[in-house]
Amino acid sequence: MSESMEWFGVRSLYHFGVNSKGINVFEERVVLFRAKSFEEAHKKAELEAEDYAKDCDFDLHPEQIAYKQDGDALIDGYEVWSELYEADLTLNDFYRERYEKYTYHPENA
């Protein structure tokens, strides 16, 4: 009996480059894969991430995080990633620390 295929969102982290001030720029990327298991999704994600890093000349962090999609087939408004964090911060402070503190602002050409 064959296992059913499910959707997995897999997050990878890349070193995107260094800006003119010598500050590192990173890319956090979530890609969807259809697979029979977490193991299969990770294998697909590893290959895709390695190709992406090679094509873009990025460094790839070796750890990936996978999230199994729950529910029906992908539809408008379908959740593709969810991760829980804990911190002794207010919601606004957590947002600033996690999402604004290291925001990349492309330099003017």
Side-chain angles (χ1 to χ4, degrees), residues 6-17:
E6 299 182 89
W7 287 100
F8 296 83
V10 182
R11 184 193 71 196
S12 299
L13 182 65
Y14 305 86
H15 181 248
F16 185 87

Side-chain angles (χ1 to χ4, degrees), residues 40-70:
E40 183 180 348
H42 272 293
K43 286 178 185 173
K44 286 181 169 185
E46 286 173 1
L47 293 173
E48 192 280 337
E50 288 169 1
D51 286 345
Y52 180 77
K54 183 180 176 185
D55 290 347
C56 296
D57 196 27
F58 294 163
D59 291 327
L60 170 63
H61 189 279
E63 182 179 335
Q64 292 181 317
I65 306 260
Y67 173 79
K68 181 178 165 186
Q69 303 303 312
D70 52 357

Side-chain angles (χ1 to χ4, degrees), residues 5-107:
M5 301 287 276
E6 299 182 89
W7 287 100
F8 296 83
V10 182
R11 184 193 71 196
S12 299
L13 182 65
Y14 305 86
H15 181 248
F16 185 87
V18 179
N19 70 16
S20 65
K21 297 175 186 170
I23 298 172
N24 288 319
V25 179
F26 302 98
E27 179 181 6
E28 182 180 54
R29 187 167 169 261
V30 177
V31 178
L32 292 177
F33 296 93
R34 195 160 185 215
K36 294 179 182 177
S37 65
F38 275 104
E39 293 78 19
E40 183 180 348
H42 272 293
K43 286 178 185 173
K44 286 181 169 185
E46 286 173 1
L47 293 173
E48 192 280 337
E50 288 169 1
D51 286 345
Y52 180 77
K54 183 180 176 185
D55 290 347
C56 296
D57 196 27
F58 294 163
D59 291 327
L60 170 63
H61 189 279
E63 182 179 335
Q64 292 181 317
I65 306 260
Y67 173 79
K68 181 178 165 186
Q69 303 303 312
D70 52 357
D72 296 325
L74 298 178
I75 57 172
D76 190 35
Y78 192 78
E79 177 182 275
V80 294
W81 187 259
S82 175
E83 186 170 351
L84 300 175
Y85 300 91
E86 63 179 35
D88 190 20
L89 300 168
T90 66
L91 179 59
N92 287 334
D93 289 342
F94 178 80
Y95 183 88
R96 280 191 291 276
E97 182 70 21
R98 171 94 173 128
Y99 298 104
E100 292 179 352
K101 185 174 182 179
Y102 303 107
T103 301
Y104 174 59
H105 301 283
E107 300 174 52

